[in-house]
Amino acid sequence: MARTFDALVIGGGPAGATAALRLAHSGWRVVVLEKANYPRRKVCGEYVSATNLPLFRQLGVEKAFLDAAGPPVREVGLFAGDVTLVSKIPESEEGEHGRALSRENLDTMLLDRAARAGAVVCQPWCAVQLQMKRDACSCKAIHRESRETKAFRARIVIAAHGSWETGSLPTQSHREPPRETDLFGFKAHFTGYDLPAGLMPLLIFPGGYGGMVHTDGGRVSLSCCIQRRQLHRCRKAMPGLSAPEAVLSHMKKSCQGVNHAIRNARLDGSWLSTGPIRPGIRVRPAAEIFLVGNAAGEAHPIIAEGISMAVQAAWLLCDRLISRQDEVFSGTATDGIALEYATDWRRSFSGRVRASSFFARLAMQPIATRAVLPLLRSFPALLTAGARLSGKANQIATTPFAIDSPST
């Protein structure tokens, strides 16, 4: 017999955990299917914009986040060739600055909070089949270790499974032919670095881009994206190195700032990799399944807004669902909510996606980069303007909400 819930959330990352927490606190019966056992590492820049702090405060996790995260990020930088530029990062409306927290800690913190609010969290369970009906959705899930199967039923489904992996669900992408411009992501933590506190530099190198930021545990997180064709060149030029080692060597040769920042650094743990990454807008005005996080839309990581967009999109969706709860439970409002949410999403995030695409194309074109660098040298405040354009100070319109228990 299938267990029945009001909402089935597929994926327990920042988007899925935020949605589960908000709905569970509002009295919804929620189940979360997360395919990994937490804590787990993930390719991600780890920066969380200051625009999320008011949301974390209302969710009851702000104190835990600030206690665990790295120092406030007060400056944005640019490392490209022999150029090193620094400018102020825009503050939020409340005068706050963003911080970085590793995904193994951030995701665990949010999902644990959702469980304490009453959500049923199933790990490591993977949704493998969805059947949509007028009154409910049926889901088949499989335990990734024991291979046991279970069935779930829910009034609505929230897909928060990301976009980087193919799968059998109607919201997951199918495998596409490889392209030379496909982007692959790499990420690692370092200790013993020489990156000034509070600085988050953008790294520009031939065929890719990246970023560095102070994160938890006294570490620096270095993440990057590189095109398939440039990755092949790196592997060919450095046959004795692994793929991430070859990419790091390429970055250090191309960016004096990177070489200086980690010349004495030590790798903390192992490198992570993923791909191909295909940014774009996928949110749709369809009532069958609501998309949040990267499943709904993904900006190029160059603007470091992935986590912020994921949390904020889940919040926007829950605003709609909770405000029209009676209609959702009677099955009369999901079409309208889907259209309204899709409109909210595009209004809030499509500008960031377009800006990230422009910045990424510019960064990966050496000719364009060389043409822009003199202008940035003369006017480094343009970095601040770019950070503002990417959404670093844009607070989305949300319905006030607060968990009664104190932040821990």
Side-chain angles (χ1 to χ4, degrees):
M1 295 292 293
R3 294 191 62 186
T4 301
F5 296 87
D6 297 318
L8 169 71
V9 181
I10 303 175
T18 297
L21 174 51
R22 281 214 59 194
L23 294 177
H25 187 265
S26 296
W28 288 47
R29 296 168 300 163
V30 182
V31 60
V32 181
L33 301 181
E34 168 51 50
K35 66 181 182 180
N37 279 317
Y38 284 6
R40 63 93 170 86
R41 300 174 64 211
K42 189 175 180 66
V43 176
C44 177
E46 302 186 348
Y47 174 77
V48 180
S49 172
T51 57
N52 273 29
L53 294 181
L55 305 185
F56 283 176
R57 188 176 310 135
Q58 295 178 73
L59 291 174
V61 297
E62 182 190 32
K63 184 179 185 301
F65 172 79
L66 294 177
D67 288 346
V73 177
R74 302 180 183 277
E75 294 178 315
V76 62
L78 176 68
F79 294 169
D82 61 353
V83 174
T84 298
L85 301 175
V86 176
S87 185
K88 296 292 184 183
I89 201 167
E91 295 179 344
S92 70
E93 294 177 359
E94 298 184 357
E96 298 170 314
H97 291 88
R99 301 186 185 214
L101 180 61
S102 61
R103 290 293 297 273
E104 54 263 39
N105 289 323
L106 175 65
D107 293 11
T108 301
M109 177 183 71
L110 289 172
L111 195 57
D112 283 352
R113 189 71 182 185
R116 294 206 303 273
V120 176
V121 176
C122 301
Q123 294 175 278
W125 285 86
C126 183
V128 294
Q129 188 179 81
L130 284 176
Q131 290 185 334
M132 317 306 300
K133 300 180 180 179
R134 289 184 59 87
D135 59 339
C137 306
S138 298
C139 174
K140 177 184 176 182
I142 186 167
H143 192 280
R144 298 191 74 190
E145 297 170 357
S146 69
R147 312 311 292 175
E148 175 190 1
T149 61
K150 283 186 179 180
F152 299 88
R153 283 170 54 86
R155 299 177 188 274
I156 64 165
V157 173
I158 298 176
H161 49 57
S163 65
W164 296 354
E165 295 184 12
T166 58
S168 58
L169 302 182
T171 54
Q172 292 177 314
S173 61
H174 301 288
R175 191 173 300 278
E176 298 183 13
R179 298 177 296 193
E180 293 235 313
T181 55
D182 283 340
L183 286 173
F184 290 85
F186 295 90
K187 176 259 192 78
H189 289 134
F190 292 89
T191 59
Y193 48 82
D194 292 313
L195 184 71
L199 173 63
M200 182 171 66
L202 170 63
L203 320 176
I204 302 297
F205 54 89
Y209 58 81
M212 300 178 70
V213 67
H214 291 260
T215 189
D216 53 290
R219 302 173 297 175
V220 154
S221 174
L222 186 154
S223 57
C224 67
C225 291
I226 187 168
Q227 290 182 329
R228 184 190 297 272
R229 58 191 172 197
Q230 184 62 55
L231 179 59
H232 286 165
R233 294 188 191 112
C234 292
R235 298 297 303 276
K236 185 176 181 180
M238 293 164 271
L241 300 181
S242 66
E245 291 171 337
V247 172
L248 178 61
S249 179
H250 175 58
M251 283 193 289
K252 292 169 72 174
K253 290 178 180 178
S254 306
C255 293
Q256 182 177 321
V258 175
N259 190 48
H260 175 80
I262 61 173
R263 58 186 172 183
N264 299 314
R266 297 176 299 278
L267 181 66
D268 183 70
S270 59
W271 280 92
L272 299 180
S273 61
T274 191
I277 301 169
R278 294 197 172 106
I281 296 175
R282 291 173 280 272
V283 69
R284 58 195 186 192
E288 292 86 3
I289 305 175
F290 296 98
L291 307 178
V292 293
N294 283 355
E298 183 177 3
H300 275 270
I302 194 170
I303 65 170
E305 281 292 294
I307 297 174
S308 299
M309 288 174 58
V311 171
Q312 292 166 16
W315 198 285
L316 288 174
L317 173 60
C318 290
D319 274 352
R320 293 293 183 181
L321 293 172
I322 293 169
S323 67
R324 299 175 66 178
Q325 175 174 302
D326 293 342
E327 298 170 83
V328 174
F329 288 177
S330 66
T332 61
T334 52
D335 286 330
I337 292 174
L339 178 59
E340 293 166 359
Y341 166 63
T343 301
D344 291 342
W345 196 101
R346 291 178 180 275
R347 182 185 301 115
S348 300
F349 308 121
S350 60
R352 299 188 210 185
V353 175
R354 288 194 294 268
S356 74
S357 180
F358 171 77
F359 293 147
R361 286 198 303 268
L362 190 67
M364 290 186 290
Q365 296 293 332
I367 295 177
T369 300
R370 287 195 295 269
V372 171
L373 282 178
L375 180 63
L376 292 175
R377 285 189 187 200
S378 300
F379 303 99
L382 289 174
L383 294 175
T384 302
R388 187 178 299 278
L389 184 62
S390 70
K392 294 290 182 292
N394 298 345
Q395 191 72 45
I396 63 169
T398 59
T399 301
F401 161 87
I403 288 180
D404 298 331
S405 57
S407 177
T408 57

